[in-house]
Every structure is written in C-alpha cells, then in structure tokens.
Amino acid sequence: GIQVEQSPPDLILQEGANSTLRCNFSDSVNNLQWFHQNPWGQLINLFYIPSGTKQNGRLSATTVATERYSLLYISSSQTTDSGVYFCAVISTQGGSEKLVFGKGTKLTVNP
Amino acid sequence: DTAVSQTPKYLVTQMGNDKSIKCEQNLGHDTMYWYKQDSKKFLKIMFSYNNKELIINETVPNRFSPKSPDKAHLNLHINSLELGDSAVYFCASSHRDSRGYTFGSGTRLTVV
C-alpha cells in the first residue's frame, strides 16, 4: 500500500519563528489533506490540497503531485500552533478508498 | 452546526466489559469511517461504510462490530474489552464529491 512519510518527527520553535513541514508519499494521489491535532486531541482539517498552493492566514501548503511531496508552512508561529501535524493521502485498492496517515510532526512552540 | 459528532468523549471501563461508541454526521456524506489512534499517535483505519454497506474491514478483531443503521450513523460496539483496546477512536465521514474527510472529536477509551 501507499506509504506516507513526514519530517521532521519533532520540531521545537520559539514564538515568532517560521517552519516548514514535509510530507512524502510513495504513489500518485488525487487527495491530500493536512490536519492539526491540538493538545486536546481534536483533529482539525487545515487544507485539502491534492495539488498547487493554498494559504489560510499564517499557514500555507504546497503539493507537487508529480514529485510526490507536500509542504506545510507555518509563519510567525504562536504557542497555539503546538500539537501534532498530520499529512494524509487517499489510497484506493479494489475499488474502495481509505485515508492513510503519516506518523505526524510534533510541533512545540515556546513563548 | 454541521459536523461529525461522537459520544461519549471519554469512556473508562473494566476488562471484559462490552461498550459502544456512537457517531453521527449531518454533512450529507455517504461514507463513514472508524479510525484508531494508538499511544504513539498513529492513526489507522478500522472500518468504512458506504450507504450502510461495509466496504473496508482492516483486520480488526471480531470483538469489534460496526453497525450503520443509516448513512448518517455509524456505531462501534466492542465486546470483551482488553487492555490493548485502550486508544482514541475517531469517527470520520466523506463524500465522493466532497473536498476531504471530516473527523469527529474522538472518544478516549481506557480499559482498566
């Protein structure tokens, strides 16, 4: 099945710093999502981005489907950005599809 | 609010008990899922249902039995709970024409 790898596994930042999270996937995809799991455990959908670039406030994401990677940019990080960031892609096998997650990047933003 | 809602949010129970988790979505999606998040935060699919029909069963023990009374609901019943079942269980939904999956807030199950 499709493999999803995220890097780095852990990231510690000072408030105000910028960061880039990376997601590599092993096969072509037509759906990619970025999620933020906050310290209370909620999974929040950040971007649906199978290709191209999107921006939402201080966050933006770029997916280069032909090269099988996606990047999540966080600018001017805040303590509320802390949590785990997951990349997930659709895997289709035998006519059924499922969302396959990477292992996440744990981000800690210190004041 | 349009959302995926699951209950209960927390569940603490003894080994050997049987418990259920309920999930409802009002997004008009036609596919619903159960995901399990283990202690290392890894999220893995357990089941998916499309219009009340089981589509995916990812080698989950028979003690886990999903039930979908209609396409807006997907419940998870677990028999004879074991310590290793402790995890966070997430319900999710999607639609073939929608832009991505929407997840519920999770149910933290602790088996003691």
Side-chain angles (χ1 to χ4, degrees):
Chain A
I2 194 167
Q3 304 295 316
V4 181
E5 294 184 0
Q6 293 186 240
S7 59
D10 293 278
L11 186 58
I12 300 174
L13 301 174
Q14 285 300 122
E15 206 168 19
N18 303 327
S19 63
T20 301
L21 281 58
R22 187 176 180 103
C23 173
N24 293 332
F25 40 94
S26 61
D27 206 347
S28 57
V29 298
N30 54 18
N31 181 2
L32 186 144
Q33 287 183 255
W34 282 97
F35 294 89
H36 174 217
Q37 187 167 36
N38 64 23
W40 295 271
Q42 289 180 303
L43 270 173
I44 299 162
N45 187 4
L46 296 177
F47 293 102
Y48 167 84
I49 185 165
S51 64
T53 297
K54 290 186 178 179
Q55 181 150 10
N56 184 1
R58 296 181 295 103
L59 273 59
S60 65
T62 295
T63 297
V64 184
T66 53
E67 297 186 23
R68 300 180 184 173
Y69 73 88
S70 183
L71 302 173
L72 179 68
Y73 305 95
I74 304 174
S75 63
S76 304
S77 58
Q78 300 177 357
T79 56
T80 52
D81 295 331
S82 296
V84 183
Y85 290 81
F86 290 101
C87 168
V89 301
I90 288 286
S91 169
T92 303
Q93 283 183 314
S96 62
E97 66 169 47
K98 60 183 178 182
L99 201 61
V100 177
F101 283 81
K103 293 185 177 180
T105 292
K106 183 178 179 182
L107 174 65
T108 303
V109 181
N110 292 320
Chain B
D1 285 345
T2 55
V4 178
S5 57
Q6 49 183 114
T7 55
K9 191 169 177 63
Y10 299 97
L11 188 51
V12 181
T13 188
Q14 290 187 323
M15 279 176 56
N17 283 351
D18 303 338
K19 290 293 179 185
S20 292
I21 307 172
K22 295 185 176 182
C23 179
E24 175 182 4
Q25 56 95 5
N26 61 5
L27 298 164
H29 290 171
D30 55 9
T31 306
M32 296 184 73
Y33 311 82
W34 280 109
Y35 277 78
K36 179 180 180 179
Q37 186 173 42
D38 61 23
S39 58
K40 295 184 179 179
K41 300 285 191 183
F42 187 55
L43 278 150
K44 187 176 179 186
I45 190 168
M46 299 173 68
F47 302 103
S48 77
Y49 269 73
N50 180 273
N51 284 324
K52 303 192 296 178
E53 181 183 349
L54 178 66
I55 302 298
I56 292 176
N57 180 342
E58 285 278 311
T59 60
V60 178
N62 291 337
R63 299 181 296 103
F64 291 78
S65 53
K67 285 189 172 54
S68 182
D70 55 61
K71 71 175 189 177
H73 295 83
L74 180 61
N75 304 322
L76 183 65
H77 188 75
I78 315 170
N79 290 327
S80 304
L81 278 155
E82 301 177 356
L83 293 176
D85 297 332
S86 295
V88 181
Y89 292 85
F90 285 95
C91 178
S93 70
S94 71
H95 190 279
R96 62 184 180 278
D97 296 330
S98 74
R99 302 174 73 76
Y101 286 46
T102 302
F103 280 77
S105 56
T107 296
R108 181 175 294 278
L109 171 65
T110 304
V111 182
V112 298

